[in-house]
Amino acid sequence: MRSEQLIRWGIIGPGTIARTFAAGIARSRTGHLVAIATRNPGRPGLPDGFPGARIVEGYEALLKDPGIDAVYIATPHPGHAEWAIKTVRAGKHVLVEKPMALSAFEAQSIFHEAKKAGVFAGEAYMYRFHPQTARLVELVREGAIGDVRIIRSSFGFDMGSYRPEHRLFANDLAGGGILDVGGYPVSMVCMLAGAAEEKTFLEPQTVSGAARLGPSGVDEWASAVLKFPNDIVAEVSCSILAEQDNVLRIIGSKGRIEVKDFWFASGTEGGIGRIEIIRGDGQRTIEVEEKRHLYSFEVDAVGEAIRAGRAEFSFPGMSAEDTRANLRVLDRWRASVGLEYAIETAAKRTTNLAGAAVVAGSNVPKRQIPGVAKPASNVVLGFEFFPSFASASLTLDAFYEAGGNVFDTAFVYRAGKTESIFGDWHTSRKVDREDIILIGKGAHSPLCYPDVIARQLDQSLERLKTDYVDVYFMHRDNPDIPVGEFVDAMDAEVRRGRIRGIFGGSNWTRERMDEAIAYAERNGKAAPAALSNNFSLAEMLDSIWPGCVAASDDGWKDWLAKRQIPNFAWSSQGRGFFTDRAGRDKQEDEEIVRVWYSERNFKRRDRAIELARKRGCSPIHIALAYVIAQPFPVIPLIGPRTVAELEDSLSALQITLAPEELRWLEG
């Protein structure tokens, strides 16, 4: 796009904030409002709020309009992620009113989609672009009040009374103060904490909140204390039923700075903003006069980014990482006060993030696993990291839509929460149970006894909302118990129909597996036919967790080649050893150093890096391809935390390594 061309804007959602933003477009240097999309085009007075703009019926119609370059999303909060994703998939740039999404996980998905589409995506915190904000950052950086120690910030107002008909009190619209206005003080204190270290943003180490949750379950007033790595402490608060002073206070070793209504700066239509500096040697006021419309700065920042070919804001705007970090703070604040919206639960969230039904895909290759009737995807999805159904469902949806159909669960993962999440996911999506392969695990130490298996499986199946698992593993072994007792217990579950495929041991030695197989054959029992041990190009030197067993050395490879028992391999990519987190000169990550650092492993890592350069991929892709290419069945477990990480891992499935390349990687 040539620099002199105006950015042709469309707006989705015709509310108050949309009218204010439209005025900002009209006063900008780079933008022109072309159209506004609404589901109610006959609404009285609508054209008056958007002079000169076409009124388009339906949001989809706006996205199909070739005369629109960029779209501003001004729907209620729950629609932000859906319409942002639809916008970037339509090839248009997008600015999303804050909050960009309901969670950091959702925001990450938006930025990932924008990156794939090659378009700009940003979150609309208009105050960030005003000269007053830049002056505040300068004052902190130059030490105007010495070292910053405490920051206090609030954004609160009083709606007068509980009004169930208003969006701010509506649970289904993600009402309340934290998401609506709490992001302002949080984004400001994180920016200022970063400015104290010459950074653009700093994420707190701890977030501790308190709130009043009203009749509809939304926060009516709330506060949080944030502790930063540089020892700055911030106190933030927000409210929709409490009038607050809304003064930003930056307290330092030599004085303090105060700013009233920092997000309002010099006013919507321009004016004079005031920064008060109070020190022991006196008080002074810095006036920041600006005649431009407050939102015009934001419009032009988007326009300049688009013209420069940037996919995100540069400082002082919220970069993609700033937005994710800010939402992570809001996520932690909400979690600390027990605030989850009904729309984030399985009962209400039955589609993917883009609002479509979740349908099985076919891009992930499948293989036949001995003893399992259904074809299995070449990788298994584990998801013990996710804090909630809403966050986990994004990755579960994406994996299934790509063609993945094997899922790894366990009785102990997050005290059973992940099993419940999976149960909610497959039932809310109406996934055909016969299309998926479900792995269950039980009898983890210290409860590693034969009689525990059935009792824990009772609970697991209830949480998983199914009456069987396809693959079952004992999560640990207990060598003090005769192996036959464990075989008998798992064989009984096969006969009951609660294990309808294969079973075996997770973190079992091959000697113990041989003993178990021999016992089963002698006694007419179903024999263990699966393993779940670590297997990776990097050999595990020390147990990641107590009782872990690796199957990566030559003795194990010989045994696996002879037995042809499928190994569902965990930590198949070396838990970060093949990324930039590791290196001969990097000692920060204690686990990586303890578990993987050896000269033999580093030489393998060097060769993976070299081969990745030749193949045009990443070393971690080579590490995963190495596991899949073994001459015995290895099905790697992957644990992506975001959709972007998932798609990155799945890209390794396109890499085929020849036997000589495997030998070369091993050295």
Side-chain angles (χ1 to χ4, degrees):
M1 178 174 290
R2 296 180 307 179
S3 61
E4 67 271 16
Q5 287 181 320
L6 291 177
I7 306 299
R8 299 170 298 178
W9 282 92
I11 296 177
I12 287 180
T16 302
I17 190 64
R19 292 194 294 271
T20 305
F21 185 78
I25 296 176
R27 312 282 178 62
S28 71
R29 297 189 299 265
T30 61
H32 168 61
L33 180 59
V34 174
I36 176 154
T38 175
R39 290 167 172 164
N40 183 17
R43 180 177 169 182
L46 187 59
D48 298 336
F50 305 94
R54 285 187 288 107
I55 307 300
V56 177
E57 182 174 5
Y59 302 164
E60 295 281 4
L62 182 76
L63 299 184
K64 294 176 182 177
D65 189 337
I68 302 293
D69 302 313
V71 176
Y72 172 64
I73 308 294
T75 64
H77 304 337
H80 287 184
E82 175 183 346
W83 289 101
I85 288 175
K86 287 179 176 177
T87 298
V88 299
R89 287 179 177 174
K92 301 186 187 302
H93 308 285
V94 67
L95 177 69
V96 188
E97 180 54 35
K98 56 77 208 158
M100 189 173 213
L102 299 187
S103 71
F105 287 96
E106 290 186 4
Q108 170 61 34
S109 293
I110 296 171
F111 286 118
H112 178 58
E113 290 286 344
K115 182 178 180 181
K116 291 194 294 183
V119 297
F120 170 91
E123 184 179 27
Y125 277 101
M126 80 295 185
Y127 81 89
R128 296 285 293 249
F129 306 96
H130 194 278
Q132 177 178 284
T133 303
R135 187 71 183 102
L136 270 173
V137 171
E138 289 174 2
L139 290 169
V140 168
R141 287 179 174 173
E142 67 191 27
I145 54 170
D147 297 329
V148 176
R149 292 176 175 171
I150 297 173
I151 309 171
R152 296 192 178 105
S153 183
S154 63
F155 192 159
F157 50 88
D158 188 359
M159 294 286 290
S161 63
Y162 174 62
R163 296 162 58 185
E165 78 285 354
H166 196 282
R167 71 167 184 88
L168 287 174
F169 294 93
N171 191 292
D172 281 355
L173 295 181
I178 293 177
L179 279 192
D180 197 68
V181 291
Y184 283 102
V186 169
S187 62
M188 173 57 88
V189 301
C190 290
M191 180 179 66
L192 294 174
E197 293 193 355
E198 298 293 324
K199 297 178 180 178
T200 61
F201 201 94
L202 194 62
E203 190 169 354
Q205 290 176 312
T206 61
V207 178
S208 179
R212 143 76 179 188
L213 303 183
S216 62
V218 307
D219 60 300
E220 296 178 343
W221 54 88
S223 294
V225 176
L226 285 54
K227 172 69 181 301
F228 291 90
N230 55 8
D231 289 331
I232 291 175
V233 173
E235 303 166 12
V236 296
S237 61
C238 62
S239 53
I240 59 174
L241 274 181
E243 192 72 39
Q244 301 195 45
D245 65 7
N246 297 334
V247 175
L248 167 68
R249 295 178 174 88
I250 313 166
I251 301 168
S253 58
K254 297 180 180 179
R256 70 182 187 274
I257 294 172
E258 295 186 353
V259 181
K260 177 71 174 173
D261 297 335
F262 71 83
W263 64 89
F264 201 54
S266 60
T268 303
E269 298 290 341
I272 297 176
R274 292 175 174 83
I275 302 172
E276 305 290 343
I277 302 178
I278 302 103
R279 295 170 49 111
D281 54 2
Q283 179 174 342
R284 66 188 175 107
T285 300
I286 296 176
E287 293 187 345
V288 181
E289 183 175 8
E290 183 54 62
K291 297 180 180 179
R292 291 185 60 187
H293 191 281
L294 176 59
Y295 286 75
S296 68
F297 295 100
E298 182 176 68
V299 175
D300 286 336
V302 176
E304 289 159 8
I306 292 172
R307 288 174 173 178
R310 296 196 306 270
E312 60 186 276
F313 281 127
S314 56
F315 190 78
M318 297 276 283
S319 68
E321 180 51 32
D322 290 352
T323 286
R324 290 191 293 266
N326 201 59
L327 277 165
R328 283 195 292 268
V329 177
L330 300 185
D331 291 345
R332 293 160 73 186
W333 189 357
R334 285 209 289 140
S336 71
V337 303
L339 175 57
E340 181 183 42
Y341 302 109
I343 52 173
E344 296 177 291
T345 64
K348 293 290 185 74
R349 180 165 289 195
T350 59
T351 63
N352 63 24
L353 193 57
V358 177
V359 179
S362 58
N363 291 333
V364 176
K366 288 185 170 63
R367 67 192 303 171
Q368 203 66 48
I369 298 172
V372 179
K374 312 166 191 176
S377 53
N378 278 4
V379 291
V380 179
L381 181 66
F383 54 100
E384 69 267 33
F385 302 113
F386 295 103
S388 65
F389 170 81
S391 58
S393 64
L394 304 179
T395 305
L396 289 164
D397 289 346
F399 181 67
Y400 186 67
E401 289 175 329
N405 74 329
V406 189
F407 300 87
D408 177 64
T409 67
F411 181 85
V412 300
Y413 288 163
R414 304 197 68 230
K417 186 172 182 178
T418 58
E419 288 185 325
S420 296
I421 286 174
F422 184 82
D424 288 342
W425 175 78
H426 81 83
T427 53
S428 67
R429 270 55 179 165
K430 295 181 172 55
V431 171
D432 187 341
R433 179 65 182 85
E434 295 307 306
D435 288 343
I436 58 177
I437 295 173
L438 183 57
I439 299 172
K441 295 193 288 290
H444 195 292
S445 55
L447 299 177
C448 190
Y449 298 99
D451 62 325
V452 170
I453 291 173
R455 295 203 308 270
Q456 289 188 348
L457 195 53
D458 288 340
Q459 296 179 61
S460 290
L461 294 176
E462 182 178 356
R463 293 189 294 225
L464 292 165
K465 296 184 178 179
T466 183
D467 55 1
Y468 74 97
V469 294
D470 300 273
V471 181
Y472 180 83
F473 291 111
M474 279 186 56
H475 212 158
R476 290 289 190 273
D477 188 15
N478 184 351
D480 294 333
I481 302 294
V483 75
E485 295 184 28
F486 288 130
V487 173
D488 289 345
M490 289 186 280
D491 174 77
E493 296 305 321
V494 172
R495 296 175 188 275
R496 292 178 66 184
R498 302 205 303 177
I499 301 173
R500 296 190 188 173
I502 52 179
F503 66 82
S506 175
N507 298 292
W508 277 35
T509 65
R510 54 184 182 271
E511 292 80 13
R512 187 75 160 172
M513 285 288 291
D514 284 337
E515 185 182 354
I517 293 168
Y519 171 87
E521 290 174 347
R522 288 195 309 270
N523 293 277
K525 305 285 187 177
L531 186 74
S532 185
N533 285 6
N534 167 252
F535 186 92
S536 172
L537 176 58
E539 295 182 9
M540 193 172 74
L541 309 174
D542 189 25
S543 295
I544 298 175
W545 305 288
C548 288
V549 176
S552 303
D553 64 24
D554 292 338
W556 264 108
K557 290 173 186 173
D558 290 342
W559 186 90
L560 290 166
K562 177 182 178 182
R563 285 285 192 180
Q564 289 294 306
I565 286 180
N567 181 19
F568 293 79
W570 51 266
S571 294
S572 56
Q573 294 170 292
R575 296 179 69 81
F577 181 71
F578 293 94
T579 70
D580 291 339
R581 288 167 50 200
R584 289 177 174 85
D585 59 339
K586 295 182 179 180
Q587 304 291 320
E588 295 83 6
D589 192 314
E590 182 276 333
E591 180 185 280
I592 289 181
V593 173
R594 174 177 59 84
V595 177
W596 309 106
Y597 274 28
S598 72
E599 189 54 33
R600 183 182 187 187
N601 279 343
F602 273 120
K603 287 180 178 178
R604 291 185 172 192
R605 183 177 183 272
D606 292 340
R607 287 188 284 271
I609 292 171
E610 181 180 342
L611 185 56
R613 289 197 189 104
K614 294 178 181 177
R615 291 293 194 97
C617 61
S618 299
I620 197 168
H621 297 151
I622 296 297
L624 189 60
Y626 166 85
V627 172
I628 295 172
Q630 294 301 311
F632 39 81
V634 183
I635 305 91
L637 277 60
I638 57 174
R641 297 168 195 254
T642 66
V643 174
E645 290 182 2
L646 169 69
E647 293 187 2
D648 184 66
S649 292
L650 295 182
S651 68
L653 301 181
Q654 308 305 315
I655 301 170
T656 302
L657 297 179
E660 56 271 20
E661 289 177 308
L662 298 185
R663 291 192 293 272
W664 179 77
L665 284 168
E666 293 170 343

